[in-house]
Amino acid sequence: MLNFDQARFLKIQTGAVAIADWIRPLMRELLDAGIERLYFMGTGGVQLLTFPAIELAARHTTFPVSACFPAQVILDPPAGLNEKALVVMPSLSGTTKESVALLPFLKERGVRLLTLTGHADTPLAQQADHTYTNFAEDDTSSESFYLQTMIIVLALLAETGRIANFDAIVSELKRLPGLLAEAKAAYEDEAAKLAQSIKDEPYHIFTAAGSVWPEAHYYGMCILEEMQWIRTRPVHAADFFHGTLELVEPGVSVFLFKGEDALRPLGERVERFVHRYTDKVWILDSASVALPGISPQVRSLISPVVLATLLERLSAHLEVLRQHPLTTRRYYKRVEY
């Protein structure tokens, strides 16, 4: 495979799933200490990676689980941000400016902080009440954060009596790193062909629903816009017919991501429509990926993880064909803003 280190990938994703052995007793401890609310507070694309976990919570419990942007919290904090709140803050670098700025604000309010970082010797890792460090880099971080945040919510559901099969789910998730590596290999040729097809496209519409909607938003914003300087329009499939449909015409590129949860029909509705008006329709469907030993229930949870792992192969080929490394930036961490 092009520019792929399988051993590194397996180590990182195995480390992500290993949070399960640590988080459940910690969740019990936090609940016993009086935690009544959970906030995910990430900056930028990493916040999008927490959304499937938040939706998982919404389907199973009335325990408040929500998302807030750190830069916004400092200006206008939610009412429940106090000693009864747990904030989970993911940051690959552990140094994200807006997230670091939030640390004293949370401490002053007595908020308990759990950080998820890629490096231990960083402010977010060292100044949190609890931290889980799993080294990753940009090409492996999506799967890692999807899995970590999902397992945190699964632990919450288990410890509040909302699910009874936490151990069984984790057992399946521990098989996932190897299966994802196999999925990458199986998709390699298709990724190369897709990269060749879209390398000169100036603009894409991205759409999806359910657990894979955050991946559509993330890939458009954080990969194609930030890392390839390609304009995109991410739109939830439920909103596609309330504005964005009018932009579809011959020659317009539309990416549709399909997952395996209850909202799959929303994407299929878009699929039926766009095929009538443009020949540039690119569909990534997690259901097409072989994952032996993974139950339908777990497949529905990990659809965004699966699509993220396939899309990394697309990105690897795009950066070569477009002669635009994924690390190239004009502004991000280059100038003051």
Side-chain angles (χ1 to χ4, degrees), residues 264-310:
R264 182 180 175 93
L266 295 178
E268 292 174 334
R269 181 187 181 204
V270 172
E271 182 178 6
R272 290 190 295 270
F273 174 83
V274 295
H275 274 303
R276 291 158 54 189
Y277 299 106
T278 179
D279 59 342
K280 294 182 178 179
V281 180
W282 323 105
I283 297 174
L284 276 79
D285 186 353
S286 66
S288 69
V289 178
L291 297 172
I294 304 300
S295 65
Q297 179 194 12
V298 174
R299 287 191 67 113
S300 72
L301 297 177
I302 62 171
S303 293
V305 183
V306 173
L307 295 191
T309 218
L310 300 185

Side-chain angles (χ1 to χ4, degrees), residues 91-95 115-128 131-136:
S91 169
L92 181 59
S93 69
T95 63
T115 59
L116 308 173
T117 70
H119 305 276
D121 56 341
T122 58
L124 292 180
Q126 294 179 348
Q127 297 181 40
T131 191
Y132 188 79
T133 298
N134 182 50
F135 171 80

